[in-house]
């Protein structure tokens, strides 16, 4: 043994977390006796562990799955008199070990040190601090999460309490701390946050459910039942004190939130004032001025002004193929695109880098030759703006093909025009690739019939990018124009062959609203008998699948004939009382997209109120006046033509109105109409108990449809996100299961809304009448609204859709839902 400190990094399974902890250990100024990496036999990143061990001259301890066995084996292998336990993902400052060594030398009775922890979000904006309380038995028993994640302990103290319990399946460190404090040994809590951890890092081998955690905790407490009884009074007092502090902290956070929301409102108002001033003086956009200049506007790619222009093209390509970002995903240098475009469809993701100092890599490998990466490993590889800095592009593409699973997809982008990336050195930025060049390179590694190419850019976006302008300084329309003579980015989708290329579309999603024998002006209802006839035809001539199954099936999986999924929007009561029994009778699954506004009390959608008042109420010949967007507007109800004109004018205004404006107009209309025609009970949305009944029926799935059925693109971004999030939360609490599917009200979606849905849900559904391709935008899944089609007409429509006929060829079914 030596008098130094041995550092034990518990590597878990997160490669990026391991690198962060290892790099912080490497920067320590104090002398340490040795460094050990404690890993598991089935660690998925063994090459990375070996690389880190070689770089830091560390020993690798391969331990058994049970934590106590692993920890004791590491302790026996360590050389120091003191042992520092650092789980992967925790970063310690340069002077940490030095300060610990001084503390142990100054106090011979000191057995262990427990430092505070600073927890922050990946972007560095969110921050919280955990500080240890007095480390005594009552404190440890009162809060199992209150033991320090990083700690330094004398070896003699570990030996005195018998090391770590090798029989426990989990919570070995917690049980060790319980025995350490019960032994009466001196532990010094360091209130200063000397340790940092980033939220979202994968730091543990696996997550356990609440039930599993409670089971592990029950095992520990059963072992120390007598100690719990001896200290019960102190435990209760300690927990009450902690609850009081949490309550005060909660109150402080609420006050801070309100203050910062008020500041945000002030900043928005100030920005709106300046924007209006600039618009008034004709200076709202960038003044492009004279482009006869040899210096660009900016040399920082556009980051100093906003988002780089090429990033907008890259995101458009990945969005169009986001359904492919699924399963096991590999990305280069960072995982930002995997998170943004894969969401919950990604089951595991890794980051590959050639640089050992990378802070985010989970795999260290050279993509030109990566023998340590097993073949057929990944479902998707995201390789954006990377191939042009690799000298042997062909070798990299062949390795990508090898490590993809059969049916796996490579999503790559290559620049055709760009400034040189001297950040990689004078020889680091090698190639620019035209669409033809991309095709030649890719088809040498992938089958030509399994590759597709998307070209982005025009003279304006190229000019803006070369000048270092930001994407925000161009309009959406300017980005949408793709000029083949001026490509900026080529996007490549290449699929590893698992057999003959499938020619037929992936499938078709059908959209219904309600089953009602009475027609309505918005054409939302179809008779129940007609729906049953449609079900009979679909069941005979198509393969009816659950929506998530249809969308999630891998291209490598066996594919049924003419797959179709059925969906209902708005959550009308007849979805439960009429549709669900028919669906169940024929064994057909369906997904119901519902709003959450009227779960607790009966309500009526505004378009049904509008129809009820203007078309079914017995009204006088007089007119009425309502303010529309601040303008007093006169309406007449004297004739059918007048009512039709009033309906069209009000409907158009209400679809795009903010919620408060919409409610105000409807209140004014109801006040004018008086009692009028009564609300039809069958045309109301389901209440909470009714929705629970629907969710319990086998094959019936529930998705979100916002809280208030507002057109999301017409709302501020915070309102858009709140409408989606609050609806999802309410439905999840009500049904007891996660809500992973979402349908846009009116089918309306913009770029921001689609991006939010990709991050928060598995799938987002629009109302575009087209078939579902092999690769598609996960946030813009198309649907065909069926309406009142007889089985023969439905047969024609489905046949046309499976042949890929555009919606313009389907005049009877192309109308978007109201």
């Amino acid at each position: 043994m030596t008098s130094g400190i041995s550092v034990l990094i518990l590597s878990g399974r997160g490669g990026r977390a391991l690198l962060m902890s290892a790099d912080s250990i490497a920067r320590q100024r104090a002398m340490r006796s040795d460094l050990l990496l404690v890993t598991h036999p089935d660690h998925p990143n063994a090459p990375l562990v070996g690389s880190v061990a070689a770089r830091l001259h560390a020993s690798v301890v391969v331990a058994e799955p049970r934590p106590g066995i692993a920890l004791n084996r590491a302790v026996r292998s360590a050389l120091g008199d003191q042992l520092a336990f650092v789980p992967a993902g925790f970063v310690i400052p340069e002077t940490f070990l030095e300060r610990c060594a001084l503390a142990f030398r100054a106090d011979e009775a000191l057995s262990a040190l427990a430092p505070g922890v600073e927890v922050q979000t990946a972007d560095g904006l969110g921050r919280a601090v955990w500080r240890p309380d007095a480390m005594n038995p009552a404190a440890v028993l009162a809060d199992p999460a209150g033991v320090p994640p990083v700690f330094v302990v004398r070896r003699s103290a570990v030996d005195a309490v018998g090391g770590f319990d090798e029989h426990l399946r989990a919570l070995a460190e917690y049980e060790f701390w319980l025995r350490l404090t019960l032994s009466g040994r001196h532990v010094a809590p360091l209130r200063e946050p000397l340790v940092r951890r980033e939220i979202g890092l994968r730091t543990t081998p696996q997550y356990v459910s609440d039930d599993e955690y409670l089971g592990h905790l029950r095992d520990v407490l059963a072992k120390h039942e007598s100690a719990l009884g001896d200290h019960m009074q102190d435990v209760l007092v300690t927990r009450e004190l902690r609850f009081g502090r949490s309550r005060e902290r909660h109150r402080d956070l609420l006050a801070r939130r309100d203050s910062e929301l008020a500041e945000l409102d002030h900043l928005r108002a100030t920005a709106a004032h300046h924007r209006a001033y600039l618009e008034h003086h004709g200076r709202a956009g960038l003044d492009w001025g004279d482009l006869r200049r040899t210096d660009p506007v900016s040399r920082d790619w556009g980051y100093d002004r906003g988002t780089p222009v090429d990033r907008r093209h890259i995101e458009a390509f990945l969005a169009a193929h986001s359904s492919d970002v699924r399963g096991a995903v590999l990305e280069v240098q960072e995982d930002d695109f995997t998170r943004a475009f894969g969401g919950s469809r990604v089951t595991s993701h890794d980051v590959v880098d050639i640089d050992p100092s990378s802070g985010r890599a989970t795999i260290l490998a050279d993509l030109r030759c990566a023998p340590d990466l097993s073949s057929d490993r990944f479902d998707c590889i995201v390789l954006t703006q990377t191939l042009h800095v690799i000298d042997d592009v062909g070798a990299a593409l062949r390795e990508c093909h090898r490590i993809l699973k059969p049916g796996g997809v490579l999503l790559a982008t290559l620049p055709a025009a760009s400034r040189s990336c001297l950040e990689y050195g004078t020889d680091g930025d090698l190639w620019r690739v035209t669409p033809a060049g991309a095709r030649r390179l890719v088809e040498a590694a992938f089958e030509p019939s399994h590759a597709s190419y998307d070209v982005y850019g025009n003279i304006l976006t190229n000019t803006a990018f070369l000048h270092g302008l930001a994407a925000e300084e161009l309009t959406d329309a300017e980005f949408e124009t793709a000029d083949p003579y001026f490509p900026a980015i080529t996007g490549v989708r290449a699929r590893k062959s698992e057999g003959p290329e499938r020619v037929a579309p992936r499938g078709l999603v059908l959209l219904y609203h309600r089953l009602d024998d009475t027609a309505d002006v918005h054409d939302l209802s179809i008779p129940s008998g007609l729906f049953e006839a449609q079900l009979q035809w679909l069941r005979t001539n198509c393969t009816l699948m659950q929506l998530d199954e249809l969308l999630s099936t891998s291209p490598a999986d066996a594919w049924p004939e003419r797959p179709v999924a059925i969906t209902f929007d708005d959550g009308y009561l007849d979805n439960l009382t009429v549709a669900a029994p028919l669906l169940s009778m024929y064994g057909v699954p369906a997904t119901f997209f519902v709003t959450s506004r009227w779960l607790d009390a009966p309500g009526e959608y505004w378009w049904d109120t509008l129809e009820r008042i203007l078309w079914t109420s017995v009204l006088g010949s007089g007119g009425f006046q309502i303010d529309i967007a601040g303008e007093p507007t006169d309406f007449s109800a004297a004739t059918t033509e007048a009512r039709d004109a009033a309906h069209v004018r009000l409907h158009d205004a209400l679809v795009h109105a903010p919620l408060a404006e919409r409610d105000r107009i409807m209140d004014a209309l109801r006040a004018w109409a008086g009692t009028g025609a009564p609300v039809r009970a069958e045309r109301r949305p389901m209440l909470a108990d009714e929705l629970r009944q629907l969710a319990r029926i086998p094959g019936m799935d529930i998705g979100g449809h916002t809280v208030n059925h507002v057109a999301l693109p017409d709302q501020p971004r915070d309102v858009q996100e709140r409408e989606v999030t609050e609806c999802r939360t309410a439905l999840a609490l009500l049904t007891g299961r996660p809500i992973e599917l979402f349908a846009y009200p009116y089918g309306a979606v913009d770029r921001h809304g689609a991006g939010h849905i990709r991050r928060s849900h598995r799938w987002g559904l629009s109302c575009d009448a087209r078939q579902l391709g092999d690769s598609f935008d996960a946030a813009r899944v198309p649907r065909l609204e069926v309406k009142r089609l007889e089985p023969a007409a439905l047969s024609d429509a489905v046949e046309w859709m499976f042949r890929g006929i555009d919606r313009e060829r389907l005049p009877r079914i192309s109308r978007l839902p109201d």
Side-chain angles (χ1 to χ4, degrees), residues 630-691:
E631 293 291 331
T633 306
D634 293 318
F635 296 93
S636 172
T639 65
T640 299
E641 292 76 12
R643 292 190 186 193
D644 183 55
H647 181 272
V648 170
R649 176 71 178 88
L650 286 168
H651 186 278
D652 290 347
L654 290 164
V655 165
H656 302 287
L659 178 62
E661 172 78 356
R662 190 180 78 187
D663 288 346
R664 182 191 61 78
I665 293 174
M666 295 308 300
D667 287 343
L669 188 63
R670 279 188 287 263
W672 168 74
T675 55
V679 177
R680 293 181 57 181
E682 67 274 17
R683 285 195 176 180
R684 66 166 174 82
M686 284 178 283
L687 299 173
D689 286 342
E690 295 161 342
L691 185 58

Side-chain angles (χ1 to χ4, degrees), residues 310-326 329-332 334-343 345 380-385 409-414 454 456 489-494 751 754-755 758 763 775-780:
D310 70 334
R311 178 62 67 96
R312 179 71 176 270
H313 291 316
I314 296 166
E315 291 177 352
F317 167 71
L318 293 176
H321 300 286
S322 52
S323 64
D324 293 316
V325 187
R326 53 175 295 278
V329 180
L330 178 69
E331 192 173 345
V332 176
E334 55 194 18
D335 57 1
D336 294 352
F337 287 141
T338 301
R339 294 176 181 274
F341 294 94
R345 296 184 306 280
C380 179
I381 299 175
V382 179
L383 198 65
T384 54
Q385 306 302 88
V409 173
L410 169 69
L411 298 177
T413 61
L414 301 97
D454 300 310
Y456 299 86
I489 294 289
T490 299
V492 176
R493 179 187 185 266
R751 192 168 63 87
R758 286 189 205 97
W763 311 107
S775 177
F776 56 93
D777 188 341
R780 298 175 187 264

Side-chain angles (χ1 to χ4, degrees), residues 9 16-26 86-92:
I9 300 182
R16 178 185 167 206
L18 172 62
L19 286 168
M20 292 178 66
S21 297
D23 287 343
S24 71
I25 297 296
V86 182
F90 287 86
V91 177
I92 59 179

Side-chain angles (χ1 to χ4, degrees), residues 242-403:
R242 289 184 176 177
F243 175 75
R245 287 198 296 268
S246 298
R247 185 172 53 216
E248 292 174 3
R249 172 66 174 159
H250 181 252
R251 189 182 300 114
D252 292 342
L253 288 173
L254 287 178
R256 178 181 172 186
R257 179 202 64 182
D258 294 342
S259 174
E260 292 184 351
L261 284 175
E263 181 182 1
L264 181 61
D265 289 341
H266 172 71
L267 291 174
R268 284 174 174 162
T270 302
H273 171 75
H274 291 311
R275 191 179 300 113
Y277 177 85
L278 291 172
E279 289 174 354
H280 177 72
H281 292 280
R283 303 298 295 271
L286 171 74
D287 182 359
W288 287 70
D290 186 357
L291 293 180
R292 182 174 293 213
R293 53 190 298 165
T294 58
D295 252 358
V297 175
S298 169
R299 292 182 178 271
D300 193 26
W301 304 94
Y303 281 110
D304 55 341
R305 305 173 67 87
T307 306
V309 170
D310 70 334
R311 178 62 67 96
R312 179 71 176 270
H313 291 316
I314 296 166
E315 291 177 352
F317 167 71
L318 293 176
H321 300 286
S322 52
S323 64
D324 293 316
V325 187
R326 53 175 295 278
V329 180
L330 178 69
E331 192 173 345
V332 176
Q333 287 194 325
E334 55 194 18
D335 57 1
D336 294 352
F337 287 141
T338 301
R339 294 176 181 274
F341 294 94
S344 62
R345 296 184 306 280
V346 175
T347 57
S348 65
H349 64 278
D350 284 285
V351 176
V352 63
D353 203 332
I354 197 172
D355 182 5
S357 65
S358 168
R360 301 187 67 174
T362 62
I363 296 173
L364 291 178
D366 184 342
L367 276 183
R368 295 171 299 184
C369 181
D372 289 328
L373 283 176
S374 58
S375 300
D376 302 339
R377 176 170 175 176
F378 297 102
D379 295 290
C380 179
I381 299 175
V382 179
L383 198 65
T384 54
Q385 306 302 88
T386 300
L387 293 170
H388 68 290
V389 299
I390 298 177
D391 58 356
D392 192 344
V393 177
L397 287 170
R398 288 191 294 274
E399 279 293 79
C400 287
H401 183 276
R402 180 183 66 80
I403 64 178

